[in-house]
């Protein structure tokens, strides 16, 4: 007979060694993306293949620009956390740490680049 | 296999997720792993799209280069693949939210939803290509 609760025995035994905040964060960003992504696919799909001036005119408008910014910020956070979940399942120790840092770095570079482009086109 | 940690307690070496050694391939596990693959692979399409946007912000000459790559067979391959990946991940994500609500977890319903995700993603990809 062990005088310890089932919860105490379970804590830290998952592959991530942490609680439910990560999963909840993925749920919240998933719901946001469920609204953002179909709209963005339509906007981006229409812009792709157009000439230089048309593309700039599209992303100079508030709606496509703000939508793209939101897709990038929310989407890349969703990606970084999702990639982290995958890495935590397959890698351990230093490799795990380096992979997670790389995933967050790639996401940050993409968000920064995208926002820079949007601001430059808008101005 | 067992080794001993610093506290002197024997630890069992457990297999890492997703326990491929003991899993028989089935629709539910296949659709689940595909969710992970599509989600992570989408970084390629996003990176290409953002590079194209950066080029549009920088100069007409740079845009000509990025646009040529994005509208080449390589660009078509990446963006068509990304369209399918995004729709697959989208539907699988909705299914995940449904599962999280504690619904549709019996095998028959889960497999039906699995087929729904696979067929739905193909239909939406074709629609995307037609409309966009």
């Amino acid at each position: 007979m062990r005088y310890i609760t089932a919860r105490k025995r379970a804590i830290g035994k998952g592959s991530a060694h942490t609680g439910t905040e990560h999963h909840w964060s993925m749920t919240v960003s998933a719901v946001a993306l469920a609204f953002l992504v179909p709209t963005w696919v339509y906007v981006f799909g229409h812009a792709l293949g157009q000439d230089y001036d048309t593309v700039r005119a599209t992303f100079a408008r508030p709606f496509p620009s703000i939508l793209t910014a939101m897709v990038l910020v929310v989407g890349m956070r969703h990606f970084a956390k999702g990639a982290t979940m995958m890495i935590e399942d397959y890698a351990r120790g230093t490799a795990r740490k380096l992979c997670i840092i790389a995933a967050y770095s790639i996401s940050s570079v993409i968000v920064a680049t995208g926002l820079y482009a949007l601001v430059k086109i808008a101005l | 296999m067992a080794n001993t940690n610093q506290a002197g307690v024997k630890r069992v070496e457990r297999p890492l997720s997703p326990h491929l050694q003991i899993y028989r391939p089935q629709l539910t596990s296949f659709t689940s792993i595909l969710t992970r693959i599509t989600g992570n692979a989408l970084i390629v399409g996003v990176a290409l799209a953002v590079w194209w946007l950066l080029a549009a912000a920088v100069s007409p000459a740079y845009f000509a280069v990025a646009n040529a790559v994005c509208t080449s067979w390589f660009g078509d391959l990446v963006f068509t693949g990304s369209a399918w990946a995004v729709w697959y991940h989208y539907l699988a994500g909705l299914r995940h939210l449904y599962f999280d609500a504690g619904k549709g977890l019996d095998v028959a319903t889960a497999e039906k939803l699995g087929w729904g995700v696979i067929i739905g993603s193909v239909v939406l990809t074709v629609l995307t290509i037609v409309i966009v």
Side-chain angles (χ1 to χ4, degrees):
Chain A
M1 177 85 194
R2 297 178 69 187
Y3 295 99
I4 191 165
T5 61
R7 187 201 161 107
K8 271 279 184 198
R9 272 187 280 120
I11 283 174
K13 291 283 163 49
S15 59
H17 307 291
T18 55
T20 53
E21 298 85 355
H22 186 282
H23 187 82
W24 175 238
S25 168
M26 292 304 276
T27 306
V28 173
S29 50
V31 172
L33 289 166
F35 291 99
L36 294 171
V37 166
T39 323
W40 185 79
V41 166
Y42 183 79
V43 169
F44 175 78
H46 262 282
L48 184 67
Q50 305 278 355
D51 61 83
Y52 180 73
D53 292 327
T54 314
V55 169
R56 286 186 66 103
T58 301
F59 288 100
R61 294 208 314 272
F63 184 77
S65 185
I66 293 168
L67 177 68
T68 306
M70 286 186 75
V71 166
L72 284 176
V73 171
V74 181
M76 284 301 98
R77 194 177 54 194
H78 187 81
F79 166 79
K81 281 180 169 281
T84 298
M85 196 155 58
M86 176 181 71
I87 293 157
E88 282 167 348
D89 279 346
Y90 304 131
R92 285 176 172 179
T94 307
R96 171 186 285 193
K97 287 177 188 166
L98 290 175
C99 288
I100 292 173
I101 291 167
Y104 272 88
S105 303
I106 293 165
S107 312
S108 306
V109 168
I110 286 178
V111 170
T113 308
L115 294 183
Y116 166 81
L118 289 171
V119 169
K120 195 152 192 288
I121 289 171
L123 292 176
Chain B
M1 220 171 85
N3 57 15
T4 311
N5 69 6
Q6 287 150 327
V9 180
K10 278 203 167 178
R11 283 172 57 91
V12 181
E13 282 290 334
R14 295 195 170 83
L16 279 171
S17 173
H19 315 297
L20 291 177
Q21 311 92 309
I22 57 165
Y23 249 70
R24 176 174 58 81
Q26 49 200 313
L27 185 71
T28 44
S29 62
F30 171 75
T31 50
S32 172
I33 192 71
L34 214 49
T35 309
R36 174 165 280 186
I37 293 168
T38 51
N40 284 281
L42 273 170
I43 195 71
V44 179
V46 171
L48 193 62
V50 167
W51 177 60
W52 174 82
L53 197 63
L54 173 71
V58 172
S59 72
Y62 193 17
F63 180 75
V65 176
N67 200 46
V69 173
C70 288
T71 53
S72 68
W73 65 267
F74 175 75
D76 283 344
L77 185 74
V78 170
F79 286 128
T80 309
S82 295
W84 173 74
V86 86
W87 287 125
Y88 183 91
H89 197 79
Y90 189 95
L91 293 175
L94 291 182
R95 186 179 67 143
H96 214 300
L97 294 175
Y98 189 63
F99 283 160
D100 282 355
K103 294 178 180 120
L105 289 164
D106 60 291
V107 175
T109 312
E111 295 210 330
K112 248 180 237 155
L113 288 170
W115 280 116
V117 170
I118 294 168
I119 296 163
S121 65
V122 175
V123 170
L124 284 170
T125 306
V126 172
L127 277 178
T128 304
I129 294 166
V130 171
I131 295 171
V132 178

